[in-house]
Amino acid sequence: MPHPAHSTVIAGPWTVQPHVPARRTPGRRGAAQPADTVQLREGLTPPQLVTMEALEIFGWRLAFVRRPLFQAPIPVLFDRAGTRYVAIREDGTLDEQPVLKLRS
């Protein structure tokens, strides 16, 4: 005689699908996924890449790359806290006070 607290599993033709969360696409100013850093690094000069790798050791992260027409790309990195940013010039030197208008 089965115990009344036991449950019975009923086999059926259905398949169990794992729970898949709904896809969320961030808005233009929403919290976007981190950009593909490989794609961001394309076209940077070797001195820019060396400087960027050195800064990443100290916790700086590549946020975006400005690509002005007919000029070298300008990578912009933020510190670990996200309060300071720097730009890296074409020759690999740091511009600690770049003239950039950042949206918030």
Side-chain angles (χ1 to χ4, degrees), residues 15-99:
T15 59
V16 178
Q17 294 182 357
H19 174 70
V20 178
R23 283 186 54 180
R24 295 182 60 189
T25 54
R28 181 168 182 222
R29 295 185 183 236
Q33 297 295 325
D36 183 16
T37 57
V38 173
Q39 185 179 4
L40 285 176
R41 293 171 191 257
E42 283 182 7
L44 298 182
T45 65
Q48 286 175 323
L49 291 171
V50 169
T51 302
M52 186 174 8
E53 289 171 2
L55 286 171
E56 287 173 338
I57 291 171
F58 295 102
W60 290 75
R61 65 173 177 78
L62 177 62
F64 59 90
V65 177
R66 290 264 168 103
R67 298 187 188 275
L69 287 175
F70 309 112
Q71 296 178 18
I74 305 167
V76 178
L77 290 88
F78 280 83
D79 68 350
R80 185 175 294 147
T83 56
R84 292 181 47 208
Y85 65 92
V86 295
I88 303 176
R89 295 185 185 112
E90 185 177 4
D91 62 356
T93 58
L94 287 180
D95 185 358
E96 295 185 46
Q97 296 178 341
V99 183

